[in-house]
Amino acid sequence: RADQGKILRLVMFGKPGAGKGTLSARLVKKYDILSISTGDLLRQHIQERTEVGRQAEEIVAQGKLLPDAVMLKVVTSKLDHLRNKHWILDGFPRTVGQGELLDAHLKKQGTPLSLVVNLDVPDDVILSRISDRWVHLPSGRVYNLSYNPPKVDGFDDETGEPLTKRPDDNPEIFARRLTQFYASTKPLLEYYSTAAQKRTRLPRVATPNQHPHQLAFPPAHTLLLKTLSGSTSDEIWVQLDALVRERVPRAEGDPRESR
Ligand code: AP5
């Protein structure tokens, strides 16, 4: 169990195909941290033909977004079981409305977001990656023929089951998802930038320009917004690893070198 004041609440933010799922999976492997991907959850709902799945099928296939209230329910039904765990959200929030709903929910739990990582990858790099992406739908594991290819072509490393292309990864739908990102999701960066400024840890002694209420913010409730840029495979991972290393213990049995 993590100390309440030090629990990592990380939003992995970025364009479709920026590497949110890939990098979250790497963190989960290395650290004592869990990841929730709304894309994976929706694909599971669709496969299981749940009520949410029936609603999501058409919307996801068209590269559009589900309503904020539906997504909040999908996410919180998982988050509420992870109150004492370090976690990553991949693919949520995706609108300012979802950001506000999430903040209100976490405020009630007393563990607000602590880190927002903005993966900044150029559009042309993303477009070339997507044509090489293959996925194992039941687990959400993602492969790329040049960056992280499966051990056996066309099959999942862990289960040996066949890999597939996502139905929303064709060029026309992907372009729509990118447009949707700029219209609905990118404004969240401004939202988090403002929140991070408000929740910056400030010196204990007020300067004449500081409002006294700013000093009352407990250090455990500060929010860091960090943009990680890079177009080659491991540039971003090195920066992300350094950010998380300070905040979360390693997974038990992680064989890699000690810190
Ligand atoms: P979702 O599954 O979340 O799609 P997305 O955000 O568009 O993100 P992707 O999964 O496409 O990409 P990623 O950033 O995870 O990149 P990846 O690691 O795979 O959502 C799907 C749909 O569900 C949405 O369109 C919407 O309809 C609905 N939905 C989901 N959440 C919602 C919400 N909150 N509200 C409303 N609707 C919602 O990497 C991409 C490729 O690049 C891979 O092939 C990978 O191997 C490769 N790669 C990754 N990193 C690198 C690297 N560093 N170098 C080289 N290649 C790399």
PDB file of all heavy atoms in Angstrom, residues 15-22 38-39 42-43 60 64-66 71 91-92 94 98 129 133 142-144 147-148 166 168 177 233, ligand 1:
ATOM      1  N   LYS A  15      -1.369  12.648 -28.661  1.00  0.00           N
ATOM      2  CA  LYS A  15      -2.173  12.358 -29.856  1.00  0.00           C
ATOM      3  C   LYS A  15      -2.401  10.857 -29.979  1.00  0.00           C
ATOM      4  O   LYS A  15      -1.636  10.076 -29.402  1.00  0.00           O
ATOM      5  CB  LYS A  15      -1.386  12.805 -31.104  1.00  0.00           C
ATOM      6  CG  LYS A  15      -1.165  14.273 -31.201  1.00  0.00           C
ATOM      7  CD  LYS A  15      -0.139  14.565 -32.290  1.00  0.00           C
ATOM      8  CE  LYS A  15       0.365  15.975 -32.138  1.00  0.00           C
ATOM      9  NZ  LYS A  15       1.601  16.235 -32.890  1.00  0.00           N
ATOM     10  N   PRO A  16      -3.392  10.457 -30.788  1.00  0.00           N
ATOM     11  CA  PRO A  16      -3.512   9.037 -31.087  1.00  0.00           C
ATOM     12  C   PRO A  16      -2.203   8.556 -31.711  1.00  0.00           C
ATOM     13  O   PRO A  16      -1.649   9.239 -32.590  1.00  0.00           O
ATOM     14  CB  PRO A  16      -4.663   8.969 -32.100  1.00  0.00           C
ATOM     15  CG  PRO A  16      -4.941  10.368 -32.516  1.00  0.00           C
ATOM     16  CD  PRO A  16      -4.408  11.269 -31.445  1.00  0.00           C
ATOM     17  N   GLY A  17      -1.708   7.450 -31.223  1.00  0.00           N
ATOM     18  CA  GLY A  17      -0.477   6.898 -31.801  1.00  0.00           C
ATOM     19  C   GLY A  17       0.798   7.530 -31.270  1.00  0.00           C
ATOM     20  O   GLY A  17       1.895   7.212 -31.735  1.00  0.00           O
ATOM     21  N   ALA A  18       0.694   8.395 -30.262  1.00  0.00           N
ATOM     22  CA  ALA A  18       1.899   9.055 -29.726  1.00  0.00           C
ATOM     23  C   ALA A  18       2.762   8.081 -28.921  1.00  0.00           C
ATOM     24  O   ALA A  18       3.927   8.357 -28.644  1.00  0.00           O
ATOM     25  CB  ALA A  18       1.497  10.236 -28.846  1.00  0.00           C
ATOM     26  N   GLY A  19       2.165   6.961 -28.515  1.00  0.00           N
ATOM     27  CA  GLY A  19       2.930   5.981 -27.735  1.00  0.00           C
ATOM     28  C   GLY A  19       2.444   5.869 -26.291  1.00  0.00           C
ATOM     29  O   GLY A  19       3.137   5.314 -25.444  1.00  0.00           O
ATOM     30  N   LYS A  20       1.246   6.374 -26.026  1.00  0.00           N
ATOM     31  CA  LYS A  20       0.712   6.345 -24.647  1.00  0.00           C
ATOM     32  C   LYS A  20       0.656   4.906 -24.114  1.00  0.00           C
ATOM     33  O   LYS A  20       1.116   4.631 -23.010  1.00  0.00           O
ATOM     34  CB  LYS A  20      -0.701   6.951 -24.600  1.00  0.00           C
ATOM     35  CG  LYS A  20      -0.780   8.378 -25.089  1.00  0.00           C
ATOM     36  CD  LYS A  20      -2.172   8.959 -24.938  1.00  0.00           C
ATOM     37  CE  LYS A  20      -3.231   8.343 -25.827  1.00  0.00           C
ATOM     38  NZ  LYS A  20      -3.075   8.569 -27.272  1.00  0.00           N
ATOM     39  N   GLY A  21       0.084   4.014 -24.914  1.00  0.00           N
ATOM     40  CA  GLY A  21      -0.070   2.624 -24.477  1.00  0.00           C
ATOM     41  C   GLY A  21       1.279   1.929 -24.327  1.00  0.00           C
ATOM     42  O   GLY A  21       1.527   1.226 -23.347  1.00  0.00           O
ATOM     43  N   THR A  22       2.163   2.158 -25.286  1.00  0.00           N
ATOM     44  CA  THR A  22       3.479   1.504 -25.260  1.00  0.00           C
ATOM     45  C   THR A  22       4.272   1.940 -24.032  1.00  0.00           C
ATOM     46  O   THR A  22       4.853   1.115 -23.323  1.00  0.00           O
ATOM     47  CB  THR A  22       4.248   1.877 -26.553  1.00  0.00           C
ATOM     48  OG1 THR A  22       3.465   1.467 -27.673  1.00  0.00           O
ATOM     49  CG2 THR A  22       5.609   1.216 -26.608  1.00  0.00           C
ATOM     50  N   THR A  38      -8.512   3.633 -21.591  1.00  0.00           N
ATOM     51  CA  THR A  38      -9.941   3.654 -21.942  1.00  0.00           C
ATOM     52  C   THR A  38     -10.178   3.023 -23.309  1.00  0.00           C
ATOM     53  O   THR A  38     -11.218   2.403 -23.534  1.00  0.00           O
ATOM     54  CB  THR A  38     -10.526   5.082 -21.914  1.00  0.00           C
ATOM     55  OG1 THR A  38      -9.620   5.967 -22.538  1.00  0.00           O
ATOM     56  CG2 THR A  38     -10.835   5.514 -20.520  1.00  0.00           C
ATOM     57  N   GLY A  39      -9.219   3.152 -24.220  1.00  0.00           N
ATOM     58  CA  GLY A  39      -9.361   2.500 -25.522  1.00  0.00           C
ATOM     59  C   GLY A  39      -9.470   0.992 -25.340  1.00  0.00           C
ATOM     60  O   GLY A  39     -10.349   0.338 -25.913  1.00  0.00           O
ATOM     61  N   LEU A  42     -12.807   0.043 -23.779  1.00  0.00           N
ATOM     62  CA  LEU A  42     -13.920   0.100 -24.737  1.00  0.00           C
ATOM     63  C   LEU A  42     -13.872  -1.074 -25.707  1.00  0.00           C
ATOM     64  O   LEU A  42     -14.907  -1.659 -26.027  1.00  0.00           O
ATOM     65  CB  LEU A  42     -13.896   1.423 -25.506  1.00  0.00           C
ATOM     66  CG  LEU A  42     -14.251   2.672 -24.685  1.00  0.00           C
ATOM     67  CD1 LEU A  42     -14.133   3.925 -25.539  1.00  0.00           C
ATOM     68  CD2 LEU A  42     -15.664   2.571 -24.113  1.00  0.00           C
ATOM     69  N   ARG A  43     -12.666  -1.418 -26.140  1.00  0.00           N
ATOM     70  CA  ARG A  43     -12.565  -2.570 -27.069  1.00  0.00           C
ATOM     71  C   ARG A  43     -13.033  -3.850 -26.377  1.00  0.00           C
ATOM     72  O   ARG A  43     -13.659  -4.703 -27.005  1.00  0.00           O
ATOM     73  CB  ARG A  43     -11.126  -2.690 -27.617  1.00  0.00           C
ATOM     74  CG  ARG A  43     -10.823  -1.649 -28.695  1.00  0.00           C
ATOM     75  CD  ARG A  43      -9.440  -1.802 -29.303  1.00  0.00           C
ATOM     76  NE  ARG A  43      -8.398  -1.275 -28.458  1.00  0.00           N
ATOM     77  CZ  ARG A  43      -8.034   0.006 -28.386  1.00  0.00           C
ATOM     78  NH1 ARG A  43      -8.635   0.917 -29.132  1.00  0.00           N
ATOM     79  NH2 ARG A  43      -7.067   0.400 -27.590  1.00  0.00           N
ATOM     80  N   VAL A  60     -16.446   4.410 -31.956  1.00  0.00           N
ATOM     81  CA  VAL A  60     -15.006   4.121 -32.032  1.00  0.00           C
ATOM     82  C   VAL A  60     -14.604   3.865 -33.488  1.00  0.00           C
ATOM     83  O   VAL A  60     -13.583   4.375 -33.961  1.00  0.00           O
ATOM     84  CB  VAL A  60     -14.637   2.914 -31.132  1.00  0.00           C
ATOM     85  CG1 VAL A  60     -13.202   2.474 -31.375  1.00  0.00           C
ATOM     86  CG2 VAL A  60     -14.860   3.260 -29.662  1.00  0.00           C
ATOM     87  N   LYS A  64     -14.772   8.878 -33.511  1.00  0.00           N
ATOM     88  CA  LYS A  64     -15.386   9.962 -32.712  1.00  0.00           C
ATOM     89  C   LYS A  64     -15.262   9.637 -31.228  1.00  0.00           C
ATOM     90  O   LYS A  64     -14.807   8.544 -30.865  1.00  0.00           O
ATOM     91  CB  LYS A  64     -16.854  10.114 -33.096  1.00  0.00           C
ATOM     92  CG  LYS A  64     -17.025  10.548 -34.539  1.00  0.00           C
ATOM     93  CD  LYS A  64     -18.487  10.672 -34.866  1.00  0.00           C
ATOM     94  CE  LYS A  64     -18.666  11.095 -36.328  1.00  0.00           C
ATOM     95  NZ  LYS A  64     -20.030  10.837 -36.780  1.00  0.00           N
ATOM     96  N   LEU A  65     -15.719  10.561 -30.357  1.00  0.00           N
ATOM     97  CA  LEU A  65     -15.589  10.346 -28.914  1.00  0.00           C
ATOM     98  C   LEU A  65     -16.919   9.972 -28.278  1.00  0.00           C
ATOM     99  O   LEU A  65     -17.967  10.506 -28.652  1.00  0.00           O
ATOM    100  CB  LEU A  65     -15.064  11.623 -28.238  1.00  0.00           C
ATOM    101  CG  LEU A  65     -13.673  12.090 -28.658  1.00  0.00           C
ATOM    102  CD1 LEU A  65     -13.281  13.346 -27.885  1.00  0.00           C
ATOM    103  CD2 LEU A  65     -12.636  11.007 -28.446  1.00  0.00           C
ATOM    104  N   LEU A  66     -16.847   9.104 -27.266  1.00  0.00           N
ATOM    105  CA  LEU A  66     -18.060   8.782 -26.497  1.00  0.00           C
ATOM    106  C   LEU A  66     -18.392   9.946 -25.568  1.00  0.00           C
ATOM    107  O   LEU A  66     -17.508  10.742 -25.227  1.00  0.00           O
ATOM    108  CB  LEU A  66     -17.836   7.510 -25.666  1.00  0.00           C
ATOM    109  CG  LEU A  66     -18.144   6.254 -26.467  1.00  0.00           C
ATOM    110  CD1 LEU A  66     -16.873   5.681 -27.042  1.00  0.00           C
ATOM    111  CD2 LEU A  66     -18.861   5.241 -25.614  1.00  0.00           C
ATOM    112  N   MET A  71     -17.944   7.908 -20.312  1.00  0.00           N
ATOM    113  CA  MET A  71     -16.530   7.601 -20.087  1.00  0.00           C
ATOM    114  C   MET A  71     -16.157   7.700 -18.610  1.00  0.00           C
ATOM    115  O   MET A  71     -15.367   6.915 -18.114  1.00  0.00           O
ATOM    116  CB  MET A  71     -15.645   8.545 -20.915  1.00  0.00           C
ATOM    117  CG  MET A  71     -15.713   8.315 -22.393  1.00  0.00           C
ATOM    118  SD  MET A  71     -15.539   6.582 -22.895  1.00  0.00           S
ATOM    119  CE  MET A  71     -13.947   6.150 -22.246  1.00  0.00           C
ATOM    120  N   GLY A  91      -5.514   7.661 -22.212  1.00  0.00           N
ATOM    121  CA  GLY A  91      -6.682   7.895 -23.080  1.00  0.00           C
ATOM    122  C   GLY A  91      -7.836   8.590 -22.378  1.00  0.00           C
ATOM    123  O   GLY A  91      -8.887   8.790 -22.969  1.00  0.00           O
ATOM    124  N   PHE A  92      -7.649   8.942 -21.144  1.00  0.00           N
ATOM    125  CA  PHE A  92      -8.670   9.665 -20.380  1.00  0.00           C
ATOM    126  C   PHE A  92      -7.952  10.588 -19.408  1.00  0.00           C
ATOM    127  O   PHE A  92      -6.976  10.154 -18.800  1.00  0.00           O
ATOM    128  CB  PHE A  92      -9.550   8.679 -19.601  1.00  0.00           C
ATOM    129  CG  PHE A  92     -10.686   9.344 -18.849  1.00  0.00           C
ATOM    130  CD1 PHE A  92     -11.917   9.512 -19.448  1.00  0.00           C
ATOM    131  CD2 PHE A  92     -10.502   9.807 -17.556  1.00  0.00           C
ATOM    132  CE1 PHE A  92     -12.960  10.133 -18.769  1.00  0.00           C
ATOM    133  CE2 PHE A  92     -11.535  10.429 -16.870  1.00  0.00           C
ATOM    134  CZ  PHE A  92     -12.766  10.589 -17.468  1.00  0.00           C
ATOM    135  N   ARG A  94     -10.093  13.142 -22.126  1.00  0.00           N
ATOM    136  CA  ARG A  94      -9.860  13.467 -23.526  1.00  0.00           C
ATOM    137  C   ARG A  94     -10.628  14.715 -23.960  1.00  0.00           C
ATOM    138  O   ARG A  94     -10.605  15.079 -25.144  1.00  0.00           O
ATOM    139  CB  ARG A  94     -10.309  12.268 -24.364  1.00  0.00           C
ATOM    140  CG  ARG A  94      -9.506  12.029 -25.578  1.00  0.00           C
ATOM    141  CD  ARG A  94     -10.089  10.833 -26.277  1.00  0.00           C
ATOM    142  NE  ARG A  94      -9.452   9.621 -25.852  1.00  0.00           N
ATOM    143  CZ  ARG A  94      -8.732   8.854 -26.651  1.00  0.00           C
ATOM    144  NH1 ARG A  94      -8.565   9.146 -27.906  1.00  0.00           N
ATOM    145  NH2 ARG A  94      -8.188   7.747 -26.204  1.00  0.00           N
ATOM    146  N   GLN A  98     -14.217  16.058 -19.416  1.00  0.00           N
ATOM    147  CA  GLN A  98     -13.748  14.850 -18.720  1.00  0.00           C
ATOM    148  C   GLN A  98     -12.702  15.206 -17.668  1.00  0.00           C
ATOM    149  O   GLN A  98     -12.646  14.613 -16.587  1.00  0.00           O
ATOM    150  CB  GLN A  98     -13.151  13.844 -19.722  1.00  0.00           C
ATOM    151  CG  GLN A  98     -14.187  13.219 -20.636  1.00  0.00           C
ATOM    152  CD  GLN A  98     -13.592  12.237 -21.640  1.00  0.00           C
ATOM    153  OE1 GLN A  98     -12.439  11.830 -21.547  1.00  0.00           O
ATOM    154  NE2 GLN A  98     -14.390  11.847 -22.626  1.00  0.00           N
ATOM    155  N   ARG A 129       3.972   5.429 -38.028  1.00  0.00           N
ATOM    156  CA  ARG A 129       3.919   4.339 -37.049  1.00  0.00           C
ATOM    157  C   ARG A 129       2.642   3.515 -37.158  1.00  0.00           C
ATOM    158  O   ARG A 129       2.655   2.307 -36.957  1.00  0.00           O
ATOM    159  CB  ARG A 129       3.893   4.920 -35.630  1.00  0.00           C
ATOM    160  CG  ARG A 129       5.211   5.365 -35.122  1.00  0.00           C
ATOM    161  CD  ARG A 129       4.971   5.879 -33.722  1.00  0.00           C
ATOM    162  NE  ARG A 129       6.144   6.508 -33.190  1.00  0.00           N
ATOM    163  CZ  ARG A 129       6.180   7.086 -32.006  1.00  0.00           C
ATOM    164  NH1 ARG A 129       5.101   7.128 -31.265  1.00  0.00           N
ATOM    165  NH2 ARG A 129       7.276   7.638 -31.574  1.00  0.00           N
ATOM    166  N   ARG A 133       1.412  -0.682 -36.959  1.00  0.00           N
ATOM    167  CA  ARG A 133       0.944  -1.154 -35.647  1.00  0.00           C
ATOM    168  C   ARG A 133       0.089  -2.416 -35.777  1.00  0.00           C
ATOM    169  O   ARG A 133      -0.825  -2.487 -36.574  1.00  0.00           O
ATOM    170  CB  ARG A 133       0.122  -0.057 -34.951  1.00  0.00           C
ATOM    171  CG  ARG A 133      -0.587  -0.599 -33.709  1.00  0.00           C
ATOM    172  CD  ARG A 133      -0.986   0.465 -32.745  1.00  0.00           C
ATOM    173  NE  ARG A 133      -2.076   1.289 -33.214  1.00  0.00           N
ATOM    174  CZ  ARG A 133      -2.582   2.289 -32.504  1.00  0.00           C
ATOM    175  NH1 ARG A 133      -2.080   2.590 -31.330  1.00  0.00           N
ATOM    176  NH2 ARG A 133      -3.570   3.006 -32.996  1.00  0.00           N
ATOM    177  N   VAL A 142       0.636  -3.960 -27.667  1.00  0.00           N
ATOM    178  CA  VAL A 142       0.829  -3.271 -28.947  1.00  0.00           C
ATOM    179  C   VAL A 142       2.213  -3.577 -29.508  1.00  0.00           C
ATOM    180  O   VAL A 142       3.194  -3.595 -28.772  1.00  0.00           O
ATOM    181  CB  VAL A 142       0.720  -1.740 -28.714  1.00  0.00           C
ATOM    182  CG1 VAL A 142       1.075  -0.984 -29.969  1.00  0.00           C
ATOM    183  CG2 VAL A 142      -0.676  -1.369 -28.254  1.00  0.00           C
ATOM    184  N   TYR A 143       2.282  -3.806 -30.810  1.00  0.00           N
ATOM    185  CA  TYR A 143       3.567  -4.063 -31.465  1.00  0.00           C
ATOM    186  C   TYR A 143       3.726  -3.119 -32.653  1.00  0.00           C
ATOM    187  O   TYR A 143       2.746  -2.571 -33.152  1.00  0.00           O
ATOM    188  CB  TYR A 143       3.624  -5.512 -31.987  1.00  0.00           C
ATOM    189  CG  TYR A 143       3.485  -6.538 -30.890  1.00  0.00           C
ATOM    190  CD1 TYR A 143       2.226  -7.004 -30.493  1.00  0.00           C
ATOM    191  CD2 TYR A 143       4.614  -7.036 -30.244  1.00  0.00           C
ATOM    192  CE1 TYR A 143       2.100  -7.942 -29.477  1.00  0.00           C
ATOM    193  CE2 TYR A 143       4.492  -7.977 -29.221  1.00  0.00           C
ATOM    194  CZ  TYR A 143       3.240  -8.426 -28.845  1.00  0.00           C
ATOM    195  OH  TYR A 143       3.115  -9.336 -27.837  1.00  0.00           O
ATOM    196  N   ASN A 144       4.979  -2.965 -33.044  1.00  0.00           N
ATOM    197  CA  ASN A 144       5.255  -2.174 -34.235  1.00  0.00           C
ATOM    198  C   ASN A 144       6.326  -2.934 -35.009  1.00  0.00           C
ATOM    199  O   ASN A 144       7.335  -3.347 -34.415  1.00  0.00           O
ATOM    200  CB  ASN A 144       5.747  -0.787 -33.816  1.00  0.00           C
ATOM    201  CG  ASN A 144       5.989   0.118 -34.996  1.00  0.00           C
ATOM    202  OD1 ASN A 144       6.959  -0.050 -35.717  1.00  0.00           O
ATOM    203  ND2 ASN A 144       5.095   1.056 -35.196  1.00  0.00           N
ATOM    204  N   TYR A 147       9.689  -0.947 -34.501  1.00  0.00           N
ATOM    205  CA  TYR A 147      10.115  -0.491 -33.161  1.00  0.00           C
ATOM    206  C   TYR A 147      10.115  -1.611 -32.130  1.00  0.00           C
ATOM    207  O   TYR A 147      11.097  -1.852 -31.446  1.00  0.00           O
ATOM    208  CB  TYR A 147       9.200   0.657 -32.724  1.00  0.00           C
ATOM    209  CG  TYR A 147       9.412   1.123 -31.310  1.00  0.00           C
ATOM    210  CD1 TYR A 147      10.645   1.626 -30.899  1.00  0.00           C
ATOM    211  CD2 TYR A 147       8.368   1.087 -30.383  1.00  0.00           C
ATOM    212  CE1 TYR A 147      10.827   2.062 -29.598  1.00  0.00           C
ATOM    213  CE2 TYR A 147       8.547   1.531 -29.087  1.00  0.00           C
ATOM    214  CZ  TYR A 147       9.779   2.012 -28.705  1.00  0.00           C
ATOM    215  OH  TYR A 147       9.959   2.443 -27.424  1.00  0.00           O
ATOM    216  N   ASN A 148       8.991  -2.286 -31.968  1.00  0.00           N
ATOM    217  CA  ASN A 148       8.939  -3.414 -31.013  1.00  0.00           C
ATOM    218  C   ASN A 148       8.193  -4.595 -31.640  1.00  0.00           C
ATOM    219  O   ASN A 148       7.059  -4.891 -31.297  1.00  0.00           O
ATOM    220  CB  ASN A 148       8.317  -3.003 -29.665  1.00  0.00           C
ATOM    221  CG  ASN A 148       6.927  -2.416 -29.829  1.00  0.00           C
ATOM    222  OD1 ASN A 148       6.541  -2.015 -30.928  1.00  0.00           O
ATOM    223  ND2 ASN A 148       6.150  -2.385 -28.773  1.00  0.00           N
ATOM    224  N   ARG A 166      -6.235  -2.782 -35.784  1.00  0.00           N
ATOM    225  CA  ARG A 166      -7.438  -2.163 -35.213  1.00  0.00           C
ATOM    226  C   ARG A 166      -8.297  -1.593 -36.335  1.00  0.00           C
ATOM    227  O   ARG A 166      -7.775  -0.999 -37.278  1.00  0.00           O
ATOM    228  CB  ARG A 166      -7.020  -1.023 -34.264  1.00  0.00           C
ATOM    229  CG  ARG A 166      -6.818  -1.513 -32.854  1.00  0.00           C
ATOM    230  CD  ARG A 166      -6.244  -0.472 -31.960  1.00  0.00           C
ATOM    231  NE  ARG A 166      -6.829   0.859 -32.028  1.00  0.00           N
ATOM    232  CZ  ARG A 166      -6.483   1.845 -31.223  1.00  0.00           C
ATOM    233  NH1 ARG A 166      -5.569   1.651 -30.286  1.00  0.00           N
ATOM    234  NH2 ARG A 166      -7.016   3.039 -31.330  1.00  0.00           N
ATOM    235  N   ASP A 168      -9.996   0.990 -36.433  1.00  0.00           N
ATOM    236  CA  ASP A 168      -9.916   2.455 -36.560  1.00  0.00           C
ATOM    237  C   ASP A 168      -8.511   2.924 -36.937  1.00  0.00           C
ATOM    238  O   ASP A 168      -8.177   4.088 -36.813  1.00  0.00           O
ATOM    239  CB  ASP A 168     -10.393   3.149 -35.267  1.00  0.00           C
ATOM    240  CG  ASP A 168      -9.621   2.711 -34.025  1.00  0.00           C
ATOM    241  OD1 ASP A 168      -8.911   1.690 -34.100  1.00  0.00           O
ATOM    242  OD2 ASP A 168      -9.715   3.405 -32.995  1.00  0.00           O
ATOM    243  N   ARG A 177      -9.326  10.929 -36.273  1.00  0.00           N
ATOM    244  CA  ARG A 177      -8.969  10.898 -34.843  1.00  0.00           C
ATOM    245  C   ARG A 177      -7.979  12.010 -34.509  1.00  0.00           C
ATOM    246  O   ARG A 177      -8.030  12.617 -33.432  1.00  0.00           O
ATOM    247  CB  ARG A 177      -8.385   9.530 -34.473  1.00  0.00           C
ATOM    248  CG  ARG A 177      -9.465   8.463 -34.383  1.00  0.00           C
ATOM    249  CD  ARG A 177      -8.914   7.051 -34.431  1.00  0.00           C
ATOM    250  NE  ARG A 177      -7.902   6.772 -33.441  1.00  0.00           N
ATOM    251  CZ  ARG A 177      -6.997   5.812 -33.540  1.00  0.00           C
ATOM    252  NH1 ARG A 177      -6.983   5.030 -34.598  1.00  0.00           N
ATOM    253  NH2 ARG A 177      -6.125   5.612 -32.589  1.00  0.00           N
ATOM    254  N   SER A 233      12.720   6.248 -31.073  1.00  0.00           N
ATOM    255  CA  SER A 233      12.139   5.268 -30.169  1.00  0.00           C
ATOM    256  C   SER A 233      12.376   5.536 -28.689  1.00  0.00           C
ATOM    257  O   SER A 233      11.420   5.587 -27.917  1.00  0.00           O
ATOM    258  CB  SER A 233      12.651   3.888 -30.543  1.00  0.00           C
ATOM    259  OG  SER A 233      14.041   3.949 -30.698  1.00  0.00           O
TER     260      SER A 233
HETATM  261  P1  AP5 B   1      -7.448   4.716 -27.838  1.00  0.00           P
HETATM  262  O1  AP5 B   1      -7.230   3.263 -27.943  1.00  0.00           O
HETATM  263  O2  AP5 B   1      -7.139   5.410 -26.563  1.00  0.00           O
HETATM  264  O3  AP5 B   1      -6.728   5.401 -29.051  1.00  0.00           O
HETATM  265  P2  AP5 B   1      -5.769   6.684 -29.138  1.00  0.00           P
HETATM  266  O4  AP5 B   1      -5.736   7.688 -28.068  1.00  0.00           O
HETATM  267  O5  AP5 B   1      -6.156   7.183 -30.453  1.00  0.00           O
HETATM  268  O6  AP5 B   1      -4.386   6.114 -28.914  1.00  0.00           O
HETATM  269  P3  AP5 B   1      -3.750   4.896 -29.606  1.00  0.00           P
HETATM  270  O7  AP5 B   1      -4.106   3.651 -28.849  1.00  0.00           O
HETATM  271  O8  AP5 B   1      -4.062   4.901 -31.097  1.00  0.00           O
HETATM  272  O9  AP5 B   1      -2.237   5.227 -29.516  1.00  0.00           O
HETATM  273  P4  AP5 B   1      -1.184   5.286 -28.330  1.00  0.00           P
HETATM  274  O10 AP5 B   1      -0.858   6.709 -28.027  1.00  0.00           O
HETATM  275  O11 AP5 B   1      -1.565   4.400 -27.193  1.00  0.00           O
HETATM  276  O12 AP5 B   1       0.050   4.705 -29.098  1.00  0.00           O
HETATM  277  P5  AP5 B   1       0.689   3.239 -29.103  1.00  0.00           P
HETATM  278  O13 AP5 B   1       1.437   2.974 -27.848  1.00  0.00           O
HETATM  279  O14 AP5 B   1      -0.311   2.230 -29.555  1.00  0.00           O
HETATM  280  O15 AP5 B   1      -8.992   5.069 -28.156  1.00  0.00           O
HETATM  281  C1  AP5 B   1      -9.680   4.489 -29.254  1.00  0.00           C
HETATM  282  C2  AP5 B   1     -11.065   5.114 -29.400  1.00  0.00           C
HETATM  283  O16 AP5 B   1     -11.850   4.909 -28.209  1.00  0.00           O
HETATM  284  C3  AP5 B   1     -11.094   6.639 -29.574  1.00  0.00           C
HETATM  285  O17 AP5 B   1     -10.882   7.012 -30.915  1.00  0.00           O
HETATM  286  C4  AP5 B   1     -12.530   6.970 -29.078  1.00  0.00           C
HETATM  287  O18 AP5 B   1     -13.481   6.649 -30.048  1.00  0.00           O
HETATM  288  C5  AP5 B   1     -12.695   6.018 -27.915  1.00  0.00           C
HETATM  289  N1  AP5 B   1     -12.259   6.623 -26.638  1.00  0.00           N
HETATM  290  C6  AP5 B   1     -11.177   6.231 -25.893  1.00  0.00           C
HETATM  291  N2  AP5 B   1     -11.046   7.007 -24.797  1.00  0.00           N
HETATM  292  C7  AP5 B   1     -12.058   7.908 -24.843  1.00  0.00           C
HETATM  293  C8  AP5 B   1     -12.437   8.989 -24.018  1.00  0.00           C
HETATM  294  N3  AP5 B   1     -11.735   9.308 -22.906  1.00  0.00           N
HETATM  295  N4  AP5 B   1     -13.526   9.736 -24.364  1.00  0.00           N
HETATM  296  C9  AP5 B   1     -14.255   9.443 -25.447  1.00  0.00           C
HETATM  297  N5  AP5 B   1     -13.942   8.414 -26.293  1.00  0.00           N
HETATM  298  C10 AP5 B   1     -12.850   7.663 -26.010  1.00  0.00           C
HETATM  299  O19 AP5 B   1       1.797   3.449 -30.236  1.00  0.00           O
HETATM  300  C11 AP5 B   1       1.430   3.628 -31.589  1.00  0.00           C
HETATM  301  C12 AP5 B   1       2.369   2.840 -32.494  1.00  0.00           C
HETATM  302  O20 AP5 B   1       3.684   3.393 -32.406  1.00  0.00           O
HETATM  303  C13 AP5 B   1       2.539   1.380 -32.091  1.00  0.00           C
HETATM  304  O21 AP5 B   1       2.673   0.591 -33.234  1.00  0.00           O
HETATM  305  C14 AP5 B   1       3.816   1.352 -31.251  1.00  0.00           C
HETATM  306  O22 AP5 B   1       4.471   0.090 -31.295  1.00  0.00           O
HETATM  307  C15 AP5 B   1       4.627   2.435 -31.934  1.00  0.00           C
HETATM  308  N6  AP5 B   1       5.457   3.165 -30.993  1.00  0.00           N
HETATM  309  C16 AP5 B   1       5.109   3.559 -29.737  1.00  0.00           C
HETATM  310  N7  AP5 B   1       6.108   4.237 -29.166  1.00  0.00           N
HETATM  311  C17 AP5 B   1       7.085   4.288 -30.111  1.00  0.00           C
HETATM  312  C18 AP5 B   1       8.371   4.896 -30.131  1.00  0.00           C
HETATM  313  N8  AP5 B   1       8.825   5.554 -29.063  1.00  0.00           N
HETATM  314  N9  AP5 B   1       9.105   4.787 -31.250  1.00  0.00           N
HETATM  315  C19 AP5 B   1       8.642   4.098 -32.325  1.00  0.00           C
HETATM  316  N10 AP5 B   1       7.427   3.516 -32.379  1.00  0.00           N
HETATM  317  C20 AP5 B   1       6.678   3.608 -31.276  1.00  0.00           C
END
